[in-house]
Amino acid sequence: MEDVAALAGVSRALVSLVMRSSPKVSPARRERVLQAAEELGYRPNAMARNLARRRTHSVGVLLHDLHNPFFGEIAEGLSEVAVIAGYRVLLTAGGVRARGEAEALESLLEYRTDAIVLLSPALPSAAVVAASEACPVVVVGRAIRSSQVDCVVTDDSLGGSLATEHLISLGHTDIAHIDGGFQPGSAPRRRAYIAAMTKAGLAGHCQVRTSRFAEQDGWDATEDLLAAACPPSAIFAGNDLVAAGAMAYLNSIGMEVPGDLSVVGYDNTYLAGMHHLSLTTVSQPRAEMGRLAMTVALERIGDQRQEPVLHTLAPALVVRATTGPPPRCQTRKLTDE
Amino acid sequence: MEDVAALAGVSRALVSLVMRSSPKVSPARRERVLQAAEELGYRPNAMARNLARRRTHSVGVLLHDLHNPFFGEIAEGLSEVAVIAGYRVLLTAGGVRARGEAEALESLLEYRTDAIVLLSPALPSAAVVAASEACPVVVVGRAIRSSQVDCVVTDDSLGGSLATEHLISLGHTDIAHIDGGFQPGSAPRRRAYIAAMTKAGLAGHCQVRTSRFAEQDGWDATEDLLAAACPPSAIFAGNDLVAAGAMAYLNSIGMEVPGDLSVVGYDNTYLAGMHHLSLTTVSQPRAEMGRLAMTVALERIGDQRQEPVLHTLAPALVVRATTGPPPRCQTRKLTDE
DNA sequence: CTGAAAGCGCTAACAG
DNA sequence: CTGTTAGCGCTTTCAG
C-alpha cells in the first residue's frame, strides 16, 4: 500500500479511500491510484481490512456435505441476495467426519463472519445455540428453539398432507409410506400422512416402512410392502431417491406405474423431472429458502437484538406421471416374489 | 485475550502459547488457561492471527457451482487431505453470474489463503495465470499451460477410447457419439472416439451429435440419430445425463437396451448406478483427483518454486447393463417416427 | 515461564 | 484532499 501510494504520488490514506471506493476522491487521482495498484499487482489484504474494520462483510455458510444438490440450490439463493447486498459468502463443509461440522462451525466463528447460516446441520442444538452467543445465526431446514437463532423451514407437515391427500383424492385407500427415519423433516411428514389417512377414515390402512433415504432402501421397502398381506395401491416415499428405488423395483417385477401402483416422492430434485421417472413429488422452494435465510441474516447484522423468528415456507405438489387412480381389480398379483 | 490472561492469572504471552498448542507449557497452566477461555467464551480471532503470522493455514477452493455433485466429490477428496495436514478449506462458488468466478477468485486472493485450488474453472486462462502470480494455484479438470500452475486432470482421451473400444469389441460397427460441445473434456473424448473407430476400420461409420450435457439433449440427439439413414446400434454419450436422456427416448419408442441398442455414458455419477439405468459408463477417480490436487497444493506451499506438473489420472470403464452385442438383424424398425 | 516491545496491513478520526 | 496518529487482536523475539 505504501508502494502504491508512492508510485501514484499520493498519501497512503488516499489509497485506502480509493480501495474502499469512497466517493470523496477526484476521478483523476482515483484513476492514478488504481493504475498504480494494477502495475504493482497490489491487492488489499482482507485480513488486515477486516481486523481494522471489526466487520468482515461476509457471512459464513455451513453445509453438511457437498454431495447433496438440495443444499446447493439453497446456497445459490443465499449467495444471490448476499451478493446484491455487497456481502461475501464463505462456505465450509462439515464432511463425513464425526467432528467435521463442529470444527467447520468453529472455524467460521474464528473468522468472525458477520453472520452464520447453517444448512440443516446435524450439530446438536446446544452447539448451535452456543454459536449464536457470538454471532447471529440462522438455521435452514431445521427448527431450533432458542431466544436468538432464526430458522427457516418448509412446512413438512403440509407437504405430507399434500402428498397423501393427492393420493386419497385419486381414490386410493391402501396408501403406504416409506419414511426417512430420524432424518430432518421425516417425522412431521409421517405424522401428516397418518393424520390425512385418519381424516379420510383410512387409519386402519396405514403402513409405514423406514429408510435411510437411499435408493436401495426404496427398493427393499417396496419389496417388503408388496409381499405383505395387504399390499398398497400407492406409495408415498420420503424423498425422490427412495421413490426412484420403489419404481425400479416395481419395474423389475413388471408392475406398471401408475397403472398398477402410484408413487409420490418428495423434494422435486432433478431426478424427479427426468423422463424415466417423471415423478409426482412435493417441491420445497429451495432458492426461496436460501434468499429468505440470507435476508434474515442480513437483517440481524443490522439489528442484533430482536425476537428471533421461525419462517415457514409452503411446499407445493408437483403432479407428473407417476400417480393415477388405483387399478379396478383389487386383487393384484402378489405372489411374484 | 487480555481478560483470559487475567482470569487465569498468567501473561498474555502464555495464553498465546496455549492457543496455538505449543508444547512448552506445563499441563497445569494449560488447563487453567483453557478453562478461563471457556468461561469467558473466548475464541481466537483468525484474522488477527493470520495477519500476524503471515500465513493462514488454509487453502481456498473455487467451485463453479454447488449443483454439480461431480465437484462435490472432488472437494471431499481435497478436504480429506487438507484436514489431516492441519489445513482449513475455504470454499467459494462462482455461481451463475458472469463475473462470479472472477470475483470469487479475487476474494480468495484477498483472504491470502496459502494456496488456491480451482475446480474446472470457466475462467480465462489468463486470469488463472495472473492469480498464480500471487499464490500457488492448482487447477483440476482442465490443463493450463503456464510455468507456475499445476494441473490434475483425467485422461479423457483414454476414456473415449475405453468406451468406444468396449462397444467395438462387442461387435458394434455403427457407433454414434453425442458429445458435449465445448465443455471441458469433450474434445479429447470425441477425438478418441474417432481415432478408435478409424483404427477399427470404421471411420466411415462415425456419427457425432452435439449436446450441452443436459438430459433433453440426449433425448433429442438420439431421436435425430435414429431418424437418420443409417441409425447406430450403439451410442457413446458424453456424460451420464445425456445417456439417461438417450435411454429415456429409446424407452419411449419401445426399443430395448442393450437388446436393440447399447449405450455408454461418462462420469459414473450416482445416476449411472441407479437400478433404472444401470449404465455402463466411464468413471473418473474423483476423490483421488481431489486428494492429489490438495497434496500438490500443500507441496507448493512448502516449496514455492519448482517445475509445475500436469498430473493425468486414468479413468476406468464400468460395465453395467446397458451394453451388449448388436442385434442380429441389421434392419431395425426405423420408421416409428 | 513472564513482560515488554515491535509489527502484520489496513482503517478511522482529526487537524491542516 | 493530505499527513499524522492511533489502534484492530494476535505473534514473536528477547532479555529477564
Side-chain angles (χ1 to χ4, degrees):
Chain A
M1 192 155 171
E2 194 80 54
D3 305 344
V4 176
L7 206 171
V10 299
S11 67
R12 268 187 34 150
L14 215 227
V15 176
S16 176
L17 285 180
V18 171
M19 272 351 227
R20 59 197 128 108
S21 48
S22 149
K24 322 205 49 150
V25 180
S26 70
R29 310 209 143 195
R30 148 165 293 127
E31 243 342 286
R32 203 127 61 81
V33 171
L34 254 21
Q35 193 181 322
E38 172 86 357
E39 253 174 67
L40 269 48
Y42 168 79
R43 204 181 325 262
N45 181 320
M47 301 290 169
R49 193 195 319 123
N50 293 339
L51 185 56
R53 282 209 192 138
R54 268 88 152 298
R55 28 178 3 210
T56 60
H57 275 285
S58 67
V59 352
V61 173
L62 173 62
L63 326 250
H64 179 67
D65 69 284
L66 284 330
H67 281 139
N68 202 329
F70 184 80
F71 297 114
E73 289 184 40
I74 297 180
E76 225 119 276
L78 287 168
S79 75
E80 183 184 312
V81 353
V83 163
I84 70 178
Y87 272 76
R88 215 154 255 177
V89 172
L90 240 49
L91 266 350
T92 51
V96 284
R97 290 165 309 117
R99 296 241 338 121
E101 272 196 15
E103 281 168 20
L105 211 204
E106 191 62 25
S107 181
L108 287 180
L109 254 13
E110 289 185 4
Y111 269 105
R112 300 290 194 270
T113 52
D114 296 348
I116 292 182
V117 177
L118 267 21
L119 294 195
S120 207
L123 235 37
S125 300
V128 176
V129 173
S132 75
E133 216 75 31
C135 159
V137 168
V138 10
V139 357
V140 178
R142 175 173 157 197
I144 285 189
R145 289 185 58 80
S146 148
S147 59
Q148 35 191 7
V149 353
D150 296 287
C151 299
V152 2
V153 299
T154 53
D155 192 338
D156 286 302
S157 184
L158 174 55
S161 302
L162 249 27
T164 312
E165 282 165 7
H166 169 59
L167 259 8
I168 292 174
S169 75
L170 248 22
H172 290 276
T173 53
D174 291 296
I175 304 172
H177 176 49
I178 304 175
D179 76 0
F182 293 113
Q183 314 253 7
S186 286
R189 292 177 206 169
R190 186 186 332 123
R191 280 195 296 268
Y193 154 76
I194 293 172
M197 291 292 277
T198 304
K199 200 170 109 195
L202 266 22
H205 296 244
C206 283
Q207 286 191 78
V208 178
R209 292 293 181 283
T210 284
S211 80
R212 281 170 324 177
F213 278 164
E215 194 206 2
Q216 187 62 48
D217 296 332
W219 174 292
D220 294 342
T222 305
E223 183 170 10
D224 187 46
L225 244 15
L226 293 194
C230 180
S233 69
I235 293 177
F236 166 32
N239 77 355
D240 291 345
L241 209 47
V242 167
M247 289 184 56
Y249 175 70
L250 294 172
N251 203 43
S252 78
I253 61 169
M255 283 187 81
E256 304 249 309
V257 175
D260 297 323
L261 202 146
S262 289
V263 176
V264 177
Y266 208 107
D267 283 349
N268 193 29
T269 53
Y270 81 93
L271 250 190
M274 287 181 53
H275 288 292
H276 269 99
L277 289 176
S278 196
L279 184 68
T280 292
T281 188
V282 176
S283 170
Q284 305 190 47
R286 283 159 289 196
E288 180 56 25
M289 291 169 79
R291 279 188 232 110
L292 180 54
M294 184 56 76
T295 304
V296 171
L298 262 24
E299 276 173 18
R300 270 291 173 283
I301 292 175
D303 168 13
Q304 203 73 247
R305 283 286 62 78
Q306 221 183 107
E307 276 308 286
V309 274
L310 170 61
H311 295 273
T312 304
L313 264 32
L317 183 72
V318 178
V319 179
R320 292 208 182 84
T322 56
T323 47
R328 281 270 168 278
C329 171
Q330 286 297 19
T331 53
R332 282 178 300 289
K333 41 171 179 171
L334 330 166
T335 45
D336 310 49
E337 294 290 320
Chain B
M1 191 155 171
E2 195 80 53
D3 305 344
V4 176
L7 207 171
V10 300
S11 68
R12 269 187 34 149
L14 215 223
V15 177
S16 176
L17 286 181
V18 171
M19 271 354 221
R20 62 199 126 105
S21 47
S22 148
K24 322 205 46 144
V25 180
S26 69
R29 310 210 143 195
R30 144 163 297 126
E31 244 340 288
R32 201 125 63 79
V33 171
L34 254 21
Q35 191 182 321
E38 172 85 355
E39 252 174 66
L40 267 48
Y42 168 81
R43 203 179 328 258
N45 181 320
M47 300 289 169
R49 193 197 318 125
N50 293 339
L51 187 56
R53 282 209 194 137
R54 270 90 148 300
R55 22 181 5 214
T56 60
H57 275 287
S58 68
V59 352
V61 174
L62 173 63
L63 325 249
H64 178 66
D65 68 283
L66 284 330
H67 281 137
N68 203 327
F70 184 79
F71 297 113
E73 290 184 39
I74 296 180
E76 225 120 277
L78 286 169
S79 75
E80 182 183 313
V81 353
V83 164
I84 69 177
Y87 271 76
R88 214 154 255 177
V89 172
L90 241 49
L91 265 349
T92 51
V96 284
R97 292 163 311 117
R99 296 242 336 122
E101 274 196 15
E103 281 169 19
L105 211 205
E106 192 61 26
S107 181
L108 287 181
L109 255 10
E110 289 185 3
Y111 268 105
R112 300 289 193 272
T113 52
D114 295 347
I116 291 182
V117 177
L118 268 21
L119 294 196
S120 208
L123 235 37
S125 300
V128 176
V129 174
S132 73
E133 217 74 34
C135 160
V137 168
V138 8
V139 359
V140 358
R142 178 173 155 198
I144 284 189
R145 288 185 58 81
S146 146
S147 59
Q148 36 190 4
V149 353
D150 295 288
C151 300
V152 2
V153 300
T154 53
D155 192 339
D156 286 301
S157 185
L158 174 56
S161 302
L162 248 27
T164 313
E165 282 165 7
H166 170 59
L167 259 10
I168 292 173
S169 75
L170 248 21
H172 291 275
T173 53
D174 291 293
I175 304 171
H177 176 48
I178 304 176
D179 77 0
F182 293 111
Q183 315 252 8
S186 285
R189 292 177 206 170
R190 185 186 333 122
R191 279 196 297 270
Y193 154 76
I194 293 173
M197 290 293 277
T198 304
K199 198 170 112 197
L202 265 24
H205 297 244
C206 283
Q207 286 192 78
V208 177
R209 292 293 181 282
T210 284
S211 80
R212 281 170 324 178
F213 278 165
E215 194 206 1
Q216 188 61 48
D217 297 332
W219 175 292
D220 294 344
T222 305
E223 182 168 12
D224 188 46
L225 245 14
L226 293 193
C230 179
S233 68
I235 292 178
F236 165 32
N239 77 356
D240 290 345
L241 208 48
V242 167
M247 288 184 55
Y249 175 70
L250 295 172
N251 203 43
S252 78
I253 61 170
M255 282 186 80
E256 304 250 308
V257 175
D260 297 323
L261 202 145
S262 290
V263 176
V264 177
Y266 208 105
D267 283 348
N268 194 29
T269 54
Y270 82 94
L271 252 189
M274 287 181 53
H275 287 292
H276 270 99
L277 290 176
S278 196
L279 184 67
T280 292
T281 188
V282 176
S283 170
Q284 305 189 47
R286 283 159 289 195
E288 180 55 26
M289 290 169 79
R291 280 188 232 110
L292 180 55
M294 183 56 74
T295 304
V296 171
L298 261 24
E299 275 173 18
R300 271 290 173 283
I301 292 175
D303 167 13
Q304 201 74 247
R305 284 287 62 78
Q306 222 182 108
E307 275 309 285
V309 273
L310 170 62
H311 295 273
T312 305
L313 264 32
L317 184 72
V318 177
V319 179
R320 291 208 182 84
T322 56
T323 47
R328 281 270 169 276
C329 171
Q330 286 297 20
T331 52
R332 281 178 299 289
K333 40 171 180 171
L334 328 168
T335 44
D336 309 48
E337 294 289 317

